[in-house]
Amino acid sequence: MKGTNLGELEEMILLVVASLFDNAYGVVIKEEVENKCQRSITISTVHNVLQRLAEKDYLESRYSDPTPERGGKRKLLFRVTKSGQEALENAKSIREQIWQSIPKVAFDRS
């Protein structure tokens, strides 16, 4: 297992995989990241991040059944593991703690 830190893109993709639940595969993940984050991303970048997250044991994958609309090709579906859920919850907790520590005057520009 690789390190346990989550990079910003790793966190986004892990969140998208969780939100897609049982229908998370490369192209759909790419589209969701682009739509929700207003961010252009290549499919190869998505695959690289998915591989890193799997190596960290934050994702598990399985192949779907072949579908006629894909010419009989199967999809490689991803799902967040318990370790991935804990990493997301930890990242959320850290962000919330930092936000709560910001004094109101820090954003007062008047």
Side-chain angles (χ1 to χ4, degrees):
M1 185 166 100
K2 286 197 168 186
T4 56
N5 292 334
L6 275 178
E8 187 257 346
L9 185 57
E10 290 178 331
E11 184 179 349
M12 287 300 136
I13 288 181
L14 201 54
L15 284 168
V16 166
V17 170
S19 72
L20 292 169
F21 181 55
D22 211 23
N23 192 34
Y25 62 96
V27 172
V28 171
I29 294 167
K30 175 188 180 301
E31 292 170 355
E32 283 292 299
V33 169
E34 289 179 339
N35 290 336
K36 293 191 172 161
C37 304
Q38 280 79 52
R39 175 180 186 158
S40 180
I41 186 171
T42 66
I43 191 66
S44 61
T45 298
V46 171
H47 285 297
N48 286 337
V49 173
L50 290 170
Q51 183 175 356
R52 278 200 313 268
L53 291 169
E55 288 172 358
K56 291 180 177 181
D57 196 30
Y58 293 163
L59 289 177
E60 59 190 12
S61 62
R62 65 176 170 80
Y63 282 103
S64 70
D65 292 330
T67 57
E69 60 270 359
R70 291 178 44 90
K73 292 174 68 178
R74 301 179 297 166
K75 299 174 188 170
L76 184 58
L77 300 170
F78 292 90
R79 195 171 194 178
V80 177
T81 64
K82 182 70 176 165
S83 297
Q85 177 187 352
E86 290 169 0
L88 282 173
E89 290 171 348
N90 185 49
K92 180 182 176 187
S93 174
I94 290 169
R95 288 177 188 262
E96 287 175 347
Q97 288 174 27
I98 293 171
W99 273 101
Q100 290 173 2
S101 71
I102 298 172
K104 290 186 189 260
V105 71
F107 294 133
D108 186 9
R109 300 285 183 237
S110 55

